[in-house]
Every structure is written in structure tokens, then in C-alpha cells.
PDB file of all heavy atoms in Angstrom:
ATOM      1  N   SER I   1       4.716  34.369  12.265  1.00  0.00           N
ATOM      2  CA  SER I   1       3.788  33.301  12.391  1.00  0.00           C
ATOM      3  C   SER I   1       3.974  32.275  11.231  1.00  0.00           C
ATOM      4  O   SER I   1       3.704  30.999  11.405  1.00  0.00           O
ATOM      5  CB  SER I   1       2.385  33.789  12.403  1.00  0.00           C
ATOM      6  OG  SER I   1       2.046  34.376  11.193  1.00  0.00           O
ATOM      7  N   ALA I   2       4.440  32.651  10.104  1.00  0.00           N
ATOM      8  CA  ALA I   2       4.643  31.679   8.973  1.00  0.00           C
ATOM      9  C   ALA I   2       5.782  30.704   9.365  1.00  0.00           C
ATOM     10  O   ALA I   2       5.615  29.513   8.999  1.00  0.00           O
ATOM     11  CB  ALA I   2       5.001  32.394   7.714  1.00  0.00           C
ATOM     12  N   ALA I   3       6.793  31.174  10.037  1.00  0.00           N
ATOM     13  CA  ALA I   3       7.890  30.303  10.401  1.00  0.00           C
ATOM     14  C   ALA I   3       7.399  29.252  11.445  1.00  0.00           C
ATOM     15  O   ALA I   3       7.888  28.165  11.506  1.00  0.00           O
ATOM     16  CB  ALA I   3       9.070  31.117  10.941  1.00  0.00           C
ATOM     17  N   GLY I   4       6.520  29.614  12.302  1.00  0.00           N
ATOM     18  CA  GLY I   4       5.998  28.701  13.300  1.00  0.00           C
ATOM     19  C   GLY I   4       5.174  27.636  12.711  1.00  0.00           C
ATOM     20  O   GLY I   4       5.167  26.551  13.176  1.00  0.00           O
ATOM     21  N   THR I   5       4.421  27.954  11.710  1.00  0.00           N
ATOM     22  CA  THR I   5       3.539  26.982  11.038  1.00  0.00           C
ATOM     23  C   THR I   5       4.348  26.134  10.037  1.00  0.00           C
ATOM     24  O   THR I   5       3.937  24.996   9.737  1.00  0.00           O
ATOM     25  CB  THR I   5       2.306  27.601  10.427  1.00  0.00           C
ATOM     26  OG1 THR I   5       2.804  28.435   9.419  1.00  0.00           O
ATOM     27  CG2 THR I   5       1.451  28.233  11.379  1.00  0.00           C
ATOM     28  N   GLN I   6       5.467  26.647   9.577  1.00  0.00           N
ATOM     29  CA  GLN I   6       6.239  25.870   8.495  1.00  0.00           C
ATOM     30  C   GLN I   6       6.781  24.571   9.148  1.00  0.00           C
ATOM     31  O   GLN I   6       6.741  23.544   8.447  1.00  0.00           O
ATOM     32  CB  GLN I   6       7.372  26.761   8.053  1.00  0.00           C
ATOM     33  CG  GLN I   6       8.173  26.118   6.896  1.00  0.00           C
ATOM     34  CD  GLN I   6       7.311  25.953   5.704  1.00  0.00           C
ATOM     35  OE1 GLN I   6       6.416  26.715   5.393  1.00  0.00           O
ATOM     36  NE2 GLN I   6       7.538  24.896   4.881  1.00  0.00           N
ATOM     37  N   GLY I   7       7.186  24.612  10.379  1.00  0.00           N
ATOM     38  CA  GLY I   7       7.707  23.332  10.960  1.00  0.00           C
ATOM     39  C   GLY I   7       6.630  22.325  11.007  1.00  0.00           C
ATOM     40  O   GLY I   7       6.854  21.097  10.816  1.00  0.00           O
ATOM     41  N   ALA I   8       5.434  22.708  11.419  1.00  0.00           N
ATOM     42  CA  ALA I   8       4.309  21.771  11.474  1.00  0.00           C
ATOM     43  C   ALA I   8       3.929  21.200  10.029  1.00  0.00           C
ATOM     44  O   ALA I   8       3.654  20.080   9.900  1.00  0.00           O
ATOM     45  CB  ALA I   8       3.047  22.463  12.053  1.00  0.00           C
ATOM     46  N   ARG I   9       4.049  22.088   9.075  1.00  0.00           N
ATOM     47  CA  ARG I   9       3.762  21.628   7.725  1.00  0.00           C
ATOM     48  C   ARG I   9       4.815  20.609   7.266  1.00  0.00           C
ATOM     49  O   ARG I   9       4.494  19.647   6.586  1.00  0.00           O
ATOM     50  CB  ARG I   9       3.698  22.801   6.736  1.00  0.00           C
ATOM     51  CG  ARG I   9       2.414  23.611   6.937  1.00  0.00           C
ATOM     52  CD  ARG I   9       2.366  24.693   5.929  1.00  0.00           C
ATOM     53  NE  ARG I   9       1.206  25.553   6.224  1.00  0.00           N
ATOM     54  CZ  ARG I   9       1.105  26.744   5.816  1.00  0.00           C
ATOM     55  NH1 ARG I   9       2.085  27.341   5.183  1.00  0.00           N
ATOM     56  NH2 ARG I   9       0.024  27.438   6.092  1.00  0.00           N
ATOM     57  N   ASP I  10       6.065  20.853   7.648  1.00  0.00           N
ATOM     58  CA  ASP I  10       7.068  19.829   7.248  1.00  0.00           C
ATOM     59  C   ASP I  10       6.857  18.545   7.888  1.00  0.00           C
ATOM     60  O   ASP I  10       7.018  17.462   7.297  1.00  0.00           O
ATOM     61  CB  ASP I  10       8.494  20.393   7.629  1.00  0.00           C
ATOM     62  CG  ASP I  10       8.930  21.539   6.724  1.00  0.00           C
ATOM     63  OD1 ASP I  10       8.357  21.701   5.601  1.00  0.00           O
ATOM     64  OD2 ASP I  10       9.824  22.261   7.017  1.00  0.00           O
ATOM     65  N   GLY I  11       6.447  18.544   9.130  1.00  0.00           N
ATOM     66  CA  GLY I  11       6.145  17.335   9.858  1.00  0.00           C
ATOM     67  C   GLY I  11       5.026  16.579   9.226  1.00  0.00           C
ATOM     68  O   GLY I  11       4.937  15.407   9.068  1.00  0.00           O
ATOM     69  N   ASP I  12       3.993  17.305   8.799  1.00  0.00           N
ATOM     70  CA  ASP I  12       2.813  16.761   8.196  1.00  0.00           C
ATOM     71  C   ASP I  12       3.175  16.179   6.818  1.00  0.00           C
ATOM     72  O   ASP I  12       2.657  15.155   6.429  1.00  0.00           O
ATOM     73  CB  ASP I  12       1.711  17.784   7.942  1.00  0.00           C
ATOM     74  CG  ASP I  12       1.049  18.163   9.236  1.00  0.00           C
ATOM     75  OD1 ASP I  12       1.190  17.459  10.235  1.00  0.00           O
ATOM     76  OD2 ASP I  12       0.340  19.213   9.266  1.00  0.00           O
ATOM     77  N   ALA I  13       4.098  16.826   6.128  1.00  0.00           N
ATOM     78  CA  ALA I  13       4.545  16.278   4.825  1.00  0.00           C
ATOM     79  C   ALA I  13       5.299  15.013   4.999  1.00  0.00           C
ATOM     80  O   ALA I  13       5.196  14.079   4.253  1.00  0.00           O
ATOM     81  CB  ALA I  13       5.422  17.344   4.158  1.00  0.00           C
ATOM     82  N   VAL I  14       6.097  14.862   6.050  1.00  0.00           N
ATOM     83  CA  VAL I  14       6.830  13.589   6.335  1.00  0.00           C
ATOM     84  C   VAL I  14       5.825  12.577   6.694  1.00  0.00           C
ATOM     85  O   VAL I  14       5.952  11.345   6.180  1.00  0.00           O
ATOM     86  CB  VAL I  14       7.900  13.784   7.437  1.00  0.00           C
ATOM     87  CG1 VAL I  14       8.458  12.498   7.907  1.00  0.00           C
ATOM     88  CG2 VAL I  14       8.947  14.769   6.911  1.00  0.00           C
ATOM     89  N   TRP I  15       4.815  12.856   7.505  1.00  0.00           N
ATOM     90  CA  TRP I  15       3.846  11.866   7.955  1.00  0.00           C
ATOM     91  C   TRP I  15       3.068  11.468   6.675  1.00  0.00           C
ATOM     92  O   TRP I  15       2.774  10.236   6.539  1.00  0.00           O
ATOM     93  CB  TRP I  15       2.996  12.423   8.985  1.00  0.00           C
ATOM     94  CG  TRP I  15       2.062  11.339   9.505  1.00  0.00           C
ATOM     95  CD1 TRP I  15       2.266  10.502  10.484  1.00  0.00           C
ATOM     96  CD2 TRP I  15       0.721  11.112   9.007  1.00  0.00           C
ATOM     97  NE1 TRP I  15       1.171   9.646  10.600  1.00  0.00           N
ATOM     98  CE2 TRP I  15       0.167   9.992   9.728  1.00  0.00           C
ATOM     99  CE3 TRP I  15      -0.146  11.684   8.047  1.00  0.00           C
ATOM    100  CZ2 TRP I  15      -1.052   9.574   9.571  1.00  0.00           C
ATOM    101  CZ3 TRP I  15      -1.426  11.127   7.830  1.00  0.00           C
ATOM    102  CH2 TRP I  15      -1.807  10.105   8.603  1.00  0.00           C
ATOM    103  N   GLY I  16       2.690  12.428   5.866  1.00  0.00           N
ATOM    104  CA  GLY I  16       1.880  12.189   4.645  1.00  0.00           C
ATOM    105  C   GLY I  16       2.684  11.229   3.642  1.00  0.00           C
ATOM    106  O   GLY I  16       2.099  10.338   3.074  1.00  0.00           O
ATOM    107  N   ASP I  17       3.982  11.459   3.559  1.00  0.00           N
ATOM    108  CA  ASP I  17       4.784  10.661   2.747  1.00  0.00           C
ATOM    109  C   ASP I  17       4.859   9.217   3.261  1.00  0.00           C
ATOM    110  O   ASP I  17       4.725   8.217   2.494  1.00  0.00           O
ATOM    111  CB  ASP I  17       6.183  11.230   2.616  1.00  0.00           C
ATOM    112  CG  ASP I  17       7.083  10.412   1.688  1.00  0.00           C
ATOM    113  OD1 ASP I  17       6.629  10.160   0.563  1.00  0.00           O
ATOM    114  OD2 ASP I  17       8.214  10.050   2.098  1.00  0.00           O
ATOM    115  N   THR I  18       5.021   9.034   4.563  1.00  0.00           N
ATOM    116  CA  THR I  18       5.043   7.779   5.154  1.00  0.00           C
ATOM    117  C   THR I  18       3.692   7.067   4.994  1.00  0.00           C
ATOM    118  O   THR I  18       3.621   5.855   4.677  1.00  0.00           O
ATOM    119  CB  THR I  18       5.389   7.855   6.654  1.00  0.00           C
ATOM    120  OG1 THR I  18       6.556   8.561   6.763  1.00  0.00           O
ATOM    121  CG2 THR I  18       5.468   6.492   7.320  1.00  0.00           C
ATOM    122  N   ALA I  19       2.562   7.851   5.151  1.00  0.00           N
ATOM    123  CA  ALA I  19       1.278   7.203   4.967  1.00  0.00           C
ATOM    124  C   ALA I  19       1.075   6.812   3.485  1.00  0.00           C
ATOM    125  O   ALA I  19       0.471   5.691   3.302  1.00  0.00           O
ATOM    126  CB  ALA I  19       0.213   8.162   5.430  1.00  0.00           C
ATOM    127  N   ALA I  20       1.483   7.557   2.577  1.00  0.00           N
ATOM    128  CA  ALA I  20       1.311   7.248   1.179  1.00  0.00           C
ATOM    129  C   ALA I  20       2.128   6.045   0.893  1.00  0.00           C
ATOM    130  O   ALA I  20       1.676   5.085   0.095  1.00  0.00           O
ATOM    131  CB  ALA I  20       1.755   8.477   0.303  1.00  0.00           C
ATOM    132  N   ARG I  21       3.334   5.892   1.411  1.00  0.00           N
ATOM    133  CA  ARG I  21       4.158   4.750   1.147  1.00  0.00           C
ATOM    134  C   ARG I  21       3.464   3.473   1.702  1.00  0.00           C
ATOM    135  O   ARG I  21       3.407   2.433   1.094  1.00  0.00           O
ATOM    136  CB  ARG I  21       5.585   4.851   1.755  1.00  0.00           C
ATOM    137  CG  ARG I  21       6.430   5.761   0.980  1.00  0.00           C
ATOM    138  CD  ARG I  21       7.820   5.843   1.721  1.00  0.00           C
ATOM    139  NE  ARG I  21       8.792   6.522   0.896  1.00  0.00           N
ATOM    140  CZ  ARG I  21       9.630   5.853   0.104  1.00  0.00           C
ATOM    141  NH1 ARG I  21       9.626   4.586   0.008  1.00  0.00           N
ATOM    142  NH2 ARG I  21      10.503   6.577  -0.631  1.00  0.00           N
ATOM    143  N   GLY I  22       3.007   3.624   2.925  1.00  0.00           N
ATOM    144  CA  GLY I  22       2.327   2.484   3.587  1.00  0.00           C
ATOM    145  C   GLY I  22       1.093   2.000   2.780  1.00  0.00           C
ATOM    146  O   GLY I  22       0.809   0.874   2.649  1.00  0.00           O
ATOM    147  N   CYS I  23       0.252   3.010   2.340  1.00  0.00           N
ATOM    148  CA  CYS I  23      -0.859   2.633   1.576  1.00  0.00           C
ATOM    149  C   CYS I  23      -0.548   1.994   0.240  1.00  0.00           C
ATOM    150  O   CYS I  23      -1.183   1.049  -0.232  1.00  0.00           O
ATOM    151  CB  CYS I  23      -1.782   3.923   1.321  1.00  0.00           C
ATOM    152  SG  CYS I  23      -2.542   4.448   2.909  1.00  0.00           S
ATOM    153  N   THR I  24       0.443   2.538  -0.463  1.00  0.00           N
ATOM    154  CA  THR I  24       0.925   1.998  -1.650  1.00  0.00           C
ATOM    155  C   THR I  24       1.394   0.617  -1.497  1.00  0.00           C
ATOM    156  O   THR I  24       1.133  -0.355  -2.285  1.00  0.00           O
ATOM    157  CB  THR I  24       2.030   2.893  -2.287  1.00  0.00           C
ATOM    158  OG1 THR I  24       1.527   4.166  -2.437  1.00  0.00           O
ATOM    159  CG2 THR I  24       2.476   2.345  -3.685  1.00  0.00           C
ATOM    160  N   ALA I  25       2.203   0.341  -0.435  1.00  0.00           N
ATOM    161  CA  ALA I  25       2.684  -0.963  -0.139  1.00  0.00           C
ATOM    162  C   ALA I  25       1.532  -1.964   0.136  1.00  0.00           C
ATOM    163  O   ALA I  25       1.553  -3.114  -0.301  1.00  0.00           O
ATOM    164  CB  ALA I  25       3.610  -0.965   1.009  1.00  0.00           C
ATOM    165  N   ALA I  26       0.514  -1.504   0.816  1.00  0.00           N
ATOM    166  CA  ALA I  26      -0.632  -2.355   1.141  1.00  0.00           C
ATOM    167  C   ALA I  26      -1.320  -2.753  -0.116  1.00  0.00           C
ATOM    168  O   ALA I  26      -1.800  -3.919  -0.331  1.00  0.00           O
ATOM    169  CB  ALA I  26      -1.592  -1.630   2.128  1.00  0.00           C
ATOM    170  N   VAL I  27      -1.553  -1.782  -1.036  1.00  0.00           N
ATOM    171  CA  VAL I  27      -2.181  -2.098  -2.316  1.00  0.00           C
ATOM    172  C   VAL I  27      -1.351  -3.125  -3.103  1.00  0.00           C
ATOM    173  O   VAL I  27      -1.865  -4.071  -3.748  1.00  0.00           O
ATOM    174  CB  VAL I  27      -2.407  -0.796  -3.140  1.00  0.00           C
ATOM    175  CG1 VAL I  27      -2.869  -1.096  -4.550  1.00  0.00           C
ATOM    176  CG2 VAL I  27      -3.462   0.025  -2.433  1.00  0.00           C
ATOM    177  N   VAL I  28      -0.057  -2.926  -3.130  1.00  0.00           N
ATOM    178  CA  VAL I  28       0.837  -3.857  -3.849  1.00  0.00           C
ATOM    179  C   VAL I  28       0.858  -5.283  -3.251  1.00  0.00           C
ATOM    180  O   VAL I  28       0.760  -6.214  -4.003  1.00  0.00           O
ATOM    181  CB  VAL I  28       2.327  -3.289  -3.863  1.00  0.00           C
ATOM    182  CG1 VAL I  28       3.299  -4.302  -4.400  1.00  0.00           C
ATOM    183  CG2 VAL I  28       2.370  -2.062  -4.643  1.00  0.00           C
ATOM    184  N   PHE I  29       0.836  -5.350  -1.946  1.00  0.00           N
ATOM    185  CA  PHE I  29       0.729  -6.641  -1.311  1.00  0.00           C
ATOM    186  C   PHE I  29      -0.611  -7.283  -1.559  1.00  0.00           C
ATOM    187  O   PHE I  29      -0.695  -8.541  -1.744  1.00  0.00           O
ATOM    188  CB  PHE I  29       0.941  -6.516   0.220  1.00  0.00           C
ATOM    189  CG  PHE I  29       2.347  -6.415   0.648  1.00  0.00           C
ATOM    190  CD1 PHE I  29       2.769  -5.337   1.431  1.00  0.00           C
ATOM    191  CD2 PHE I  29       3.343  -7.297   0.216  1.00  0.00           C
ATOM    192  CE1 PHE I  29       4.165  -5.165   1.785  1.00  0.00           C
ATOM    193  CE2 PHE I  29       4.668  -7.174   0.524  1.00  0.00           C
ATOM    194  CZ  PHE I  29       5.038  -6.148   1.322  1.00  0.00           C
ATOM    195  N   ALA I  30      -1.694  -6.540  -1.534  1.00  0.00           N
ATOM    196  CA  ALA I  30      -3.064  -7.061  -1.800  1.00  0.00           C
ATOM    197  C   ALA I  30      -3.098  -7.580  -3.268  1.00  0.00           C
ATOM    198  O   ALA I  30      -3.718  -8.599  -3.494  1.00  0.00           O
ATOM    199  CB  ALA I  30      -4.095  -5.985  -1.575  1.00  0.00           C
ATOM    200  N   ALA I  31      -2.446  -6.837  -4.178  1.00  0.00           N
ATOM    201  CA  ALA I  31      -2.478  -7.306  -5.592  1.00  0.00           C
ATOM    202  C   ALA I  31      -1.725  -8.639  -5.657  1.00  0.00           C
ATOM    203  O   ALA I  31      -2.149  -9.525  -6.433  1.00  0.00           O
ATOM    204  CB  ALA I  31      -1.890  -6.181  -6.477  1.00  0.00           C
ATOM    205  N   GLY I  32      -0.607  -8.737  -5.015  1.00  0.00           N
ATOM    206  CA  GLY I  32       0.166  -9.962  -4.992  1.00  0.00           C
ATOM    207  C   GLY I  32      -0.703 -11.130  -4.488  1.00  0.00           C
ATOM    208  O   GLY I  32      -0.665 -12.232  -5.009  1.00  0.00           O
ATOM    209  N   ALA I  33      -1.383 -10.918  -3.387  1.00  0.00           N
ATOM    210  CA  ALA I  33      -2.186 -11.915  -2.771  1.00  0.00           C
ATOM    211  C   ALA I  33      -3.336 -12.321  -3.711  1.00  0.00           C
ATOM    212  O   ALA I  33      -3.690 -13.477  -3.817  1.00  0.00           O
ATOM    213  CB  ALA I  33      -2.770 -11.518  -1.428  1.00  0.00           C
ATOM    214  N   CYS I  34      -3.893 -11.326  -4.452  1.00  0.00           N
ATOM    215  CA  CYS I  34      -4.962 -11.664  -5.357  1.00  0.00           C
ATOM    216  C   CYS I  34      -4.470 -12.476  -6.503  1.00  0.00           C
ATOM    217  O   CYS I  34      -5.182 -13.369  -6.993  1.00  0.00           O
ATOM    218  CB  CYS I  34      -5.619 -10.309  -5.936  1.00  0.00           C
ATOM    219  SG  CYS I  34      -6.674  -9.547  -4.717  1.00  0.00           S
ATOM    220  N   LEU I  35      -3.207 -12.223  -6.922  1.00  0.00           N
ATOM    221  CA  LEU I  35      -2.665 -13.075  -8.053  1.00  0.00           C
ATOM    222  C   LEU I  35      -2.453 -14.514  -7.555  1.00  0.00           C
ATOM    223  O   LEU I  35      -2.724 -15.474  -8.275  1.00  0.00           O
ATOM    224  CB  LEU I  35      -1.305 -12.518  -8.493  1.00  0.00           C
ATOM    225  CG  LEU I  35      -1.385 -11.219  -9.315  1.00  0.00           C
ATOM    226  CD1 LEU I  35      -0.002 -10.702  -9.657  1.00  0.00           C
ATOM    227  CD2 LEU I  35      -2.175 -11.507 -10.581  1.00  0.00           C
ATOM    228  N   VAL I  36      -2.039 -14.737  -6.291  1.00  0.00           N
ATOM    229  CA  VAL I  36      -1.851 -16.061  -5.744  1.00  0.00           C
ATOM    230  C   VAL I  36      -3.263 -16.766  -5.665  1.00  0.00           C
ATOM    231  O   VAL I  36      -3.378 -17.961  -6.075  1.00  0.00           O
ATOM    232  CB  VAL I  36      -1.199 -16.036  -4.460  1.00  0.00           C
ATOM    233  CG1 VAL I  36      -1.074 -17.475  -3.853  1.00  0.00           C
ATOM    234  CG2 VAL I  36       0.216 -15.538  -4.563  1.00  0.00           C
ATOM    235  N   MET I  37      -4.318 -16.096  -5.267  1.00  0.00           N
ATOM    236  CA  MET I  37      -5.590 -16.553  -5.175  1.00  0.00           C
ATOM    237  C   MET I  37      -6.181 -16.981  -6.583  1.00  0.00           C
ATOM    238  O   MET I  37      -6.813 -17.919  -6.762  1.00  0.00           O
ATOM    239  CB  MET I  37      -6.520 -15.666  -4.511  1.00  0.00           C
ATOM    240  CG  MET I  37      -6.221 -15.471  -3.013  1.00  0.00           C
ATOM    241  SD  MET I  37      -6.346 -17.109  -2.230  1.00  0.00           S
ATOM    242  CE  MET I  37      -5.311 -16.767  -0.776  1.00  0.00           C
ATOM    243  N   LEU I  38      -5.800 -16.130  -7.541  1.00  0.00           N
ATOM    244  CA  LEU I  38      -6.157 -16.377  -8.899  1.00  0.00           C
ATOM    245  C   LEU I  38      -5.579 -17.614  -9.414  1.00  0.00           C
ATOM    246  O   LEU I  38      -6.084 -18.446 -10.106  1.00  0.00           O
ATOM    247  CB  LEU I  38      -5.922 -15.168  -9.784  1.00  0.00           C
ATOM    248  CG  LEU I  38      -6.283 -15.267 -11.256  1.00  0.00           C
ATOM    249  CD1 LEU I  38      -7.808 -15.366 -11.303  1.00  0.00           C
ATOM    250  CD2 LEU I  38      -5.743 -14.083 -12.087  1.00  0.00           C
ATOM    251  N   GLY I  39      -4.313 -17.873  -8.977  1.00  0.00           N
ATOM    252  CA  GLY I  39      -3.597 -19.151  -9.297  1.00  0.00           C
ATOM    253  C   GLY I  39      -4.336 -20.328  -8.677  1.00  0.00           C
ATOM    254  O   GLY I  39      -4.303 -21.387  -9.277  1.00  0.00           O
ATOM    255  N   PHE I  40      -4.819 -20.193  -7.445  1.00  0.00           N
ATOM    256  CA  PHE I  40      -5.586 -21.302  -6.883  1.00  0.00           C
ATOM    257  C   PHE I  40      -6.865 -21.560  -7.664  1.00  0.00           C
ATOM    258  O   PHE I  40      -7.233 -22.685  -7.919  1.00  0.00           O
ATOM    259  CB  PHE I  40      -5.980 -20.962  -5.447  1.00  0.00           C
ATOM    260  CG  PHE I  40      -4.889 -21.312  -4.450  1.00  0.00           C
ATOM    261  CD1 PHE I  40      -4.218 -20.201  -3.774  1.00  0.00           C
ATOM    262  CD2 PHE I  40      -4.642 -22.531  -4.080  1.00  0.00           C
ATOM    263  CE1 PHE I  40      -3.221 -20.514  -2.899  1.00  0.00           C
ATOM    264  CE2 PHE I  40      -3.632 -22.829  -3.142  1.00  0.00           C
ATOM    265  CZ  PHE I  40      -2.942 -21.763  -2.562  1.00  0.00           C
ATOM    266  N   LEU I  41      -7.513 -20.495  -8.135  1.00  0.00           N
ATOM    267  CA  LEU I  41      -8.729 -20.703  -8.897  1.00  0.00           C
ATOM    268  C   LEU I  41      -8.388 -21.301 -10.297  1.00  0.00           C
ATOM    269  O   LEU I  41      -9.243 -22.051 -10.786  1.00  0.00           O
ATOM    270  CB  LEU I  41      -9.468 -19.348  -9.065  1.00  0.00           C
ATOM    271  CG  LEU I  41     -10.120 -18.796  -7.821  1.00  0.00           C
ATOM    272  CD1 LEU I  41     -10.652 -17.417  -8.035  1.00  0.00           C
ATOM    273  CD2 LEU I  41     -11.205 -19.667  -7.385  1.00  0.00           C
ATOM    274  N   ALA I  42      -7.263 -21.012 -10.861  1.00  0.00           N
ATOM    275  CA  ALA I  42      -6.914 -21.429 -12.191  1.00  0.00           C
ATOM    276  C   ALA I  42      -6.701 -22.954 -12.147  1.00  0.00           C
ATOM    277  O   ALA I  42      -6.951 -23.626 -13.187  1.00  0.00           O
ATOM    278  CB  ALA I  42      -5.684 -20.784 -12.684  1.00  0.00           C
ATOM    279  N   THR I  43      -6.335 -23.592 -11.067  1.00  0.00           N
ATOM    280  CA  THR I  43      -6.076 -24.983 -11.076  1.00  0.00           C
ATOM    281  C   THR I  43      -7.023 -25.782 -10.238  1.00  0.00           C
ATOM    282  O   THR I  43      -6.785 -26.949  -9.962  1.00  0.00           O
ATOM    283  CB  THR I  43      -4.627 -25.286 -10.565  1.00  0.00           C
ATOM    284  OG1 THR I  43      -4.506 -24.743  -9.315  1.00  0.00           O
ATOM    285  CG2 THR I  43      -3.629 -24.701 -11.522  1.00  0.00           C
ATOM    286  N   MET I  44      -8.077 -25.152  -9.720  1.00  0.00           N
ATOM    287  CA  MET I  44      -8.985 -25.883  -8.793  1.00  0.00           C
ATOM    288  C   MET I  44      -9.571 -27.087  -9.515  1.00  0.00           C
ATOM    289  O   MET I  44      -9.685 -28.112  -8.984  1.00  0.00           O
ATOM    290  CB  MET I  44     -10.103 -24.879  -8.370  1.00  0.00           C
ATOM    291  CG  MET I  44     -10.918 -25.466  -7.255  1.00  0.00           C
ATOM    292  SD  MET I  44     -12.045 -24.257  -6.668  1.00  0.00           S
ATOM    293  CE  MET I  44     -11.005 -23.089  -5.861  1.00  0.00           C
ATOM    294  N   ASP I  45     -10.059 -26.924 -10.726  1.00  0.00           N
ATOM    295  CA  ASP I  45     -10.638 -28.074 -11.427  1.00  0.00           C
ATOM    296  C   ASP I  45      -9.634 -29.114 -11.886  1.00  0.00           C
ATOM    297  O   ASP I  45      -9.874 -30.273 -12.004  1.00  0.00           O
ATOM    298  CB  ASP I  45     -11.472 -27.657 -12.591  1.00  0.00           C
ATOM    299  CG  ASP I  45     -10.567 -27.027 -13.748  1.00  0.00           C
ATOM    300  OD1 ASP I  45      -9.534 -26.386 -13.397  1.00  0.00           O
ATOM    301  OD2 ASP I  45     -10.958 -27.119 -14.960  1.00  0.00           O
ATOM    302  N   MET I  46      -8.339 -28.674 -12.054  1.00  0.00           N
ATOM    303  CA  MET I  46      -7.308 -29.579 -12.442  1.00  0.00           C
ATOM    304  C   MET I  46      -6.948 -30.541 -11.276  1.00  0.00           C
ATOM    305  O   MET I  46      -6.535 -31.651 -11.496  1.00  0.00           O
ATOM    306  CB  MET I  46      -6.074 -28.842 -12.786  1.00  0.00           C
ATOM    307  CG  MET I  46      -4.911 -29.591 -13.369  1.00  0.00           C
ATOM    308  SD  MET I  46      -3.584 -28.607 -13.896  1.00  0.00           S
ATOM    309  CE  MET I  46      -2.643 -28.383 -12.530  1.00  0.00           C
ATOM    310  N   GLU I  47      -7.169 -30.139 -10.028  1.00  0.00           N
ATOM    311  CA  GLU I  47      -6.790 -30.922  -8.844  1.00  0.00           C
ATOM    312  C   GLU I  47      -7.939 -31.774  -8.338  1.00  0.00           C
ATOM    313  O   GLU I  47      -7.830 -32.531  -7.456  1.00  0.00           O
ATOM    314  CB  GLU I  47      -6.366 -29.935  -7.749  1.00  0.00           C
ATOM    315  CG  GLU I  47      -5.081 -29.257  -8.107  1.00  0.00           C
ATOM    316  CD  GLU I  47      -4.721 -28.175  -7.152  1.00  0.00           C
ATOM    317  OE1 GLU I  47      -5.495 -27.861  -6.215  1.00  0.00           O
ATOM    318  OE2 GLU I  47      -3.720 -27.562  -7.309  1.00  0.00           O
TER     319      GLU I  47
END
């Protein structure tokens, strides 16, 4: 029975890795967008 569940665990690990990469990328993109918005705020009074 351990061999039968091992395959499922490997599949979950691959899915978990993909989900972790996706979530990390989303956070990195959100941080980049926040920096651009901060740039808009930094020059709002200048314009």
C-alpha cells in the first residue's frame, strides 16, 4: 500500500511546487506593480 500512495504523493509534490512557483510569481508581480504605483505617487504633485 505504501507504493500505491507514493505515486499520489509525488504528483501532489509536483502540483505543490507549481502552486508555490505561481504564488511566488504573483507576489513578485504585485510588488513590481506597487513600485510603479509608488512612482506615480512620487511625482503626482510635480505634474
Side-chain angles (χ1 to χ4, degrees):
S1 63
T5 59
Q6 186 64 32
R9 287 185 185 153
D10 288 343
D12 290 343
V14 170
W15 185 87
D17 182 50
T18 303
R21 283 178 171 268
C23 289
T24 303
V27 168
V28 170
F29 282 125
C34 286
L35 285 177
V36 175
M37 292 301 154
L38 185 63
F40 276 107
L41 290 174
T43 60
M44 190 175 293
D45 66 330
M46 188 174 86
E47 296 170 355

